[in-house]
Amino acid sequence: MAYKRYPVLEVNTSYIRDNARIMTEYCKKQGVTVAGVIKFSDGDLRIARAYREGGCAQIASSRVVHLKRIKGKMHEITTMLNRAPMLSEVPDTVKYCDISLNSEKETLLALNHYAGLWGKKHGVILMLDVGDLREGVIDVNQLCYLALFTEYELHNLNLMGIGSSFACFGSILPTRENLSNLVAAARQIESKINRKLEIISGGSSVSLTVMQKGDLPEGINHLRIGGAIANPRNIRLNRGVIIDGMNEDSFVLKAELIEVNIKPSRPFGERSINWAGNKVEFEDKGLRRRAIAAIGSQDIGDGMKLFPRDEGIRVIGCSSDHTILDIEDSCKSWKVGDKVSFYLGYAPLLYSFSTRHVNIKYMK
């Protein structure tokens, strides 16, 4: 298929819908429901719909503007703000998000105020920090205090459950032990409020590593999964998670070649730092056939997280507007104007959706 403007990201929503169905069924067998996280797609409506049709219980994003767009088009979808609300966005959080993650009393008070003004009941998941040191209350007693305060004092809020995050800031992996700490905290809260919590949210896609080993503690009944549904290649390569039937070809990025030449593999002249402020070392492999694709960090962030579909191509560097490719081992005779295709890691996928410079095309 020919396009008028490159680079282009091809999106196969049928694959994403099938992946969502496979993932939600896989999790359901272990008593876990799934919030489909669409933040990587800049709140893309078609991807949100594919997640919902695939069986996700909620559609989640860290940006209120994404969920506002989704609520405007798909009223029936339950939306989850996958980040604690800024105080300045609390009114919109109550309007467009059915559930939000929280750890601050002041924010809970504000949510309760606006929910009362509009006659709504806003769902709350309180976050416990079990080691990654991103969001969440670090002390279980403080968490219990917030839970009791929400349950008995904030009548416009519905305390739905508690949750944790992993492998985001501190790179701490979920384990049976730290997830069990989350379950224990939930049971402590339940004993104080005399009812069961609806949700014990055991993290994001990375928690599939624990589930895959059969180590997920009883009681964890919810995960917030995004990339592992839409782009399962990433979690297979980074975490070793493989779920039978998942399609890894949901996204294909195509860029146009603007130069093809034979050049030394090692830069020559006085060395310095590069455009990003980094000092880069190069192995001398002699003269190599190279190509430059008209795409760069402004479009895809880290070009080294691109995976060329042609086995003979290797990404060797990236500047803000150029991606340098070694094509010496490719069987194809590349020329200027040819289009080179890539699969993407999570970060390039996020950048591609967030920039106006990448053209998005839906295949199905």
Side-chain angles (χ1 to χ4, degrees):
M1 180 181 293
Y3 302 115
K4 294 181 178 179
R5 182 169 66 86
Y6 286 87
V8 63
L9 180 69
E10 295 178 347
V11 181
N12 191 311
T13 53
S14 293
Y15 290 168
I16 296 170
R17 184 182 303 107
D18 291 344
N19 285 351
R21 177 183 52 79
I22 292 167
M23 179 66 75
T24 55
E25 290 177 356
Y26 174 79
C27 291
K28 184 179 180 180
K29 290 176 182 177
Q30 304 198 46
V32 173
T33 60
V34 174
V37 182
I38 49 87
K39 63 182 182 181
F40 71 88
S41 70
D42 198 29
D44 188 278
L45 290 171
R46 300 191 198 200
I47 292 176
R49 185 174 289 109
Y51 274 23
R52 184 69 185 95
E53 292 173 353
C56 291
Q58 303 94 21
I59 300 301
S61 181
S62 56
R63 313 284 171 166
V64 175
V65 66
H66 294 167
L67 302 176
K68 178 180 179 180
R69 188 184 310 147
I70 289 165
K71 271 295 187 185
K73 296 292 184 180
M74 293 172 275
H75 309 289
E76 76 285 357
I77 285 182
T78 300
T79 52
M80 173 184 287
L81 182 61
N82 205 32
R83 181 175 72 178
M86 294 182 280
L87 284 175
S88 60
E89 66 183 358
V90 162
D92 280 351
T93 300
V94 173
K95 283 182 181 179
Y96 306 114
C97 310
D98 299 302
I99 308 167
S100 63
L101 310 185
N102 286 273
S103 60
E104 289 287 343
K105 182 178 180 180
E106 188 175 2
T107 307
L108 291 168
L109 284 165
L111 288 167
N112 184 68
H113 171 74
Y114 281 98
L117 282 181
W118 297 322
K120 301 188 72 172
K121 197 83 166 178
H122 181 74
V124 166
I125 294 175
L126 298 178
M127 298 300 285
L128 176 67
D129 189 338
V130 296
D132 196 56
L133 299 184
R134 199 179 72 173
E135 83 275 47
V137 177
I138 200 76
D139 180 75
V140 173
N141 291 327
Q142 185 183 356
L143 183 76
C144 288
Y145 165 76
L146 281 180
L148 290 169
F149 181 71
T150 303
E151 178 79 359
Y152 294 118
E153 302 295 331
L154 304 181
H155 304 299
N156 305 308
L157 301 184
N158 175 22
L159 176 61
M160 299 185 69
I162 66 172
S164 287
S165 293
F166 300 94
C168 288
F169 172 71
S171 303
I172 299 301
L173 289 173
T175 63
R176 185 171 184 86
E177 181 182 3
N178 55 28
L179 285 169
S180 294
N181 292 339
L182 179 66
V183 174
R187 299 299 178 237
Q188 188 172 337
I189 291 170
E190 288 172 343
S191 69
K192 293 179 182 295
I193 63 175
N194 296 311
R195 67 173 178 87
K196 296 284 287 184
L197 293 172
E198 181 180 339
I199 289 174
I200 304 177
S201 189
S204 59
S205 298
V206 69
S207 295
L208 292 168
T209 58
V210 184
M211 182 183 289
Q212 186 174 249
K213 293 185 293 186
D215 284 343
L216 196 72
E218 184 178 352
I220 300 294
N221 63 6
H222 184 270
L223 292 178
R224 311 179 302 277
I225 301 176
I229 294 174
N231 194 29
R233 174 178 282 100
N234 204 55
I235 199 166
R236 174 177 62 82
L237 294 175
N238 292 340
R239 307 291 184 187
V241 172
I242 300 174
I243 298 174
D244 290 341
M246 299 287 278
N247 194 308
E248 296 189 344
D249 299 344
S250 303
F251 304 99
V252 175
L253 180 68
K254 294 184 176 180
E256 186 170 330
L257 299 183
I258 56 174
E259 180 180 294
V260 178
N261 213 326
I262 296 175
K263 292 188 179 182
S265 53
R266 182 182 175 87
F268 50 93
E270 185 176 350
R271 298 293 303 280
S272 179
I273 58 176
N274 68 7
W275 70 280
N278 301 318
K279 188 173 182 178
V280 183
E281 298 298 328
F282 295 88
E283 182 182 356
D284 190 351
K285 294 184 176 181
L287 294 175
R288 304 281 292 183
R289 190 166 180 80
R290 306 191 327 161
I292 298 177
I295 193 169
S297 293
Q298 188 171 1
D299 311 294
I300 42 84
D302 185 0
M304 303 306 290
K305 298 289 196 305
L306 295 178
F307 310 112
R309 296 177 76 191
D310 186 302
E311 292 183 359
I313 296 179
R314 186 168 58 92
V315 178
I316 57 176
C318 183
S319 68
S320 58
D321 301 299
H322 304 75
T323 295
I324 315 301
L325 308 172
D326 184 312
I327 59 172
E328 180 73 24
D329 299 323
S330 175
C331 296
K332 298 180 181 179
S333 180
W334 295 95
K335 62 184 184 299
V336 171
D338 283 347
K339 312 305 184 296
V340 61
S341 299
F342 304 92
Y343 298 122
L344 307 87
Y346 185 86
L349 188 61
L350 183 149
Y351 272 84
S352 294
F353 273 103
S354 300
T355 177
R356 66 181 186 274
H357 303 295
V358 175
N359 192 20
I360 309 294
K361 291 291 182 182
Y362 300 91
M363 310 305 294
K364 293 182 182 179

